[in-house]
Each structure stands twice: as structure tokens, then as C-alpha cells.
Amino acid sequence: MKPQKTRISSYALIIQDRRILLCRISPEIPRAAGRWTLPGGGIDFGEAPEYAAVREVREETGLDVRIKNVATVDSEFFTSDESDMHMVRIIYHAVLTGGTLRHETEGSTDRAQWFTREEAERQPLVEVARLGVRLAFATERLETP
């Protein structure tokens, strides 16, 4: 029987000027390299989930954010040759408070970029990013004929 692992992570849903901030996954994660995700990642042992989201945004984008509230909690299961993995993801609405956009140089992502809804939907997205784009622009879709 393969090992079963659970990973809990925090992500930030950051919208500014009708654009969403996404990060491209680096070759450090071969199964998802080149695909786009929300800024965020794993919660360190003993770390508050809100703080993890703030820390991850800073690490991956150079930007500082303030957490507003929980947008959703998401769960995904997948299997690999090594293990069965259960991902539990907390996605927060967050607002920018400072910093300068930059790319992470040695980590799980290698680029940070703003996208309109249409641009984001044309990118190769991991599941949490697809969910983030839907959440980010849900109100806009209701208002657009």
C-alpha cells in the first residue's frame, strides 16, 4: 500500500484593476512546471494559515498583502507512483499593501504576473488557479450580458 499524505496550504486571491495575480510553477515541480497557480503554498508546522498566505505571497511575488476573509476551502485528491495525496487548500481574499512585483528566483514558482479574466482563462492553469479565476470574476460574469 502506498503512503497516504495530506497537505494543507494557503493561497491568496488578489485582484487589482480587474486583473488577477498568478504565479507560474517552476521546473522544481516537474508534474506542474509551466502551469499557473495562485500565489500561496504549504503551511509550515505551527504556522497560522493566514500568515502562511501572506508569507507565500511575499516569497513568490515580492508583494505585501493583508488578508480580508476566506474565499473558500478546496480539496483535491490525486495519486502518483510514490503516494496518494490529499490537498486541502484555504483560499483567502487579500488586498495589496505594498512591495514591488518581482519573480521568485529559487523556489516553486519562477514568474508572477497580472492577468485579465480572458488572459488567465487562456493559460495552462492548475486546479486551484482555475477555481481562483472563477471566484475572482464570478460577480463580473453575473453583471456581463
Side-chain angles (χ1 to χ4, degrees):
M1 183 171 165
K2 291 188 282 186
Q4 296 178 325
K5 298 180 181 180
T6 299
R7 181 171 189 251
I8 303 172
S9 51
S10 291
Y11 293 87
L13 187 57
I14 308 165
I15 308 301
Q16 186 170 334
D17 300 326
R18 299 173 64 120
R19 297 177 302 154
I20 185 171
L21 183 61
L22 299 175
C23 295
R24 186 176 63 193
I25 299 171
S26 76
E28 186 176 296
I29 304 175
R31 66 176 165 71
R35 297 172 71 194
W36 292 85
T37 188
L38 294 174
I43 299 170
D44 292 336
F45 183 81
E47 184 177 37
E50 300 89 353
Y51 180 78
V54 170
R55 175 184 52 76
E56 287 282 349
V57 169
R58 188 176 306 117
E59 288 175 5
E60 294 179 350
T61 71
L63 299 173
D64 297 316
V65 296
R66 177 179 51 81
I67 299 299
K68 288 175 49 178
N69 60 343
V70 174
T72 193
V73 176
D74 176 58
S75 177
E76 182 180 8
F77 172 82
F78 63 90
T79 188
S80 70
D81 292 337
E82 298 84 36
S83 65
D84 292 333
M85 182 66 101
H86 180 209
M87 305 287 289
V88 177
R89 300 175 290 223
I90 305 165
I91 303 172
Y92 293 97
H93 289 287
V95 294
L96 290 178
T97 60
T100 302
L101 185 66
R102 60 137 177 87
H103 309 304
E104 186 175 28
T105 56
E106 294 181 23
S108 60
T109 65
D110 61 10
R111 182 166 186 81
Q113 185 173 328
W114 293 99
F115 292 94
T116 65
R117 181 188 77 202
E118 294 79 14
E119 292 167 340
E121 289 173 342
R122 288 193 300 265
Q123 303 305 311
L125 304 174
V126 296
E127 185 57 35
V128 72
R130 277 194 289 276
L131 175 58
V133 169
R134 283 194 307 268
L135 290 169
F137 299 106
T139 304
E140 181 178 300
R141 286 192 176 149
L142 293 174
E143 294 171 357
T144 306

